[in-house]
Amino acid sequence: MKRIKAACIMQTIRFQQKEDSGLSADALLRLNREEAERYKTQLEKTKTRYKIDSESEENDGSVIIRIRKEYNEKVEVGEYFN
């Protein structure tokens, strides 16, 4: 029988508004930061275990987050969060 010992999901998420929004670069960056914070707040609210590997801001105002998060509640994340 095979059993999963540890698992996680690795994602790169880009928070970016529509290009034709007509907003300044500063306004776009602010909106994207707020959206990224709402995403992290939602993870906390649902008690999803996660670890952010990197978070960066691009010249176009987008925010990129590289994250590892638990696959589901029943599988241990093991060494992925060390």
Side-chain angles (χ1 to χ4, degrees), residues 26-41:
D26 289 336
L28 287 172
L29 183 56
R30 184 179 47 77
L31 286 172
N32 293 328
R33 282 182 187 153
E34 289 172 359
E35 187 177 357
E37 287 304 314
R38 280 193 303 273
Y39 176 75
K40 291 186 269 185
T41 300

Side-chain angles (χ1 to χ4, degrees), residues 15 17 19 21-33 57-63:
F15 296 92
Q17 304 300 312
E19 292 181 20
S21 63
L23 298 171
S24 69
D26 289 336
L28 287 172
L29 183 56
R30 184 179 47 77
L31 286 172
N32 293 328
R33 282 182 187 153
E57 298 171 355
E58 300 295 305
N59 292 334
D60 64 356
S62 61
V63 175

Side-chain angles (χ1 to χ4, degrees), residues 39-56:
Y39 176 75
K40 291 186 269 185
T41 300
Q42 185 62 32
L43 289 173
E44 294 289 337
K45 193 181 280 188
T46 58
K47 298 182 179 159
T48 301
R49 291 183 294 174
Y50 68 96
K51 182 174 185 180
I52 294 177
D53 293 326
S54 68
E55 186 170 344
S56 61

Side-chain angles (χ1 to χ4, degrees), residues 60-75:
D60 64 356
S62 61
V63 175
I64 297 178
I65 296 178
R66 287 184 173 77
I67 186 172
R68 288 180 276 170
K69 61 184 185 178
E70 71 180 348
Y71 178 69
N72 63 32
E73 296 173 353
K74 296 175 178 45
V75 176

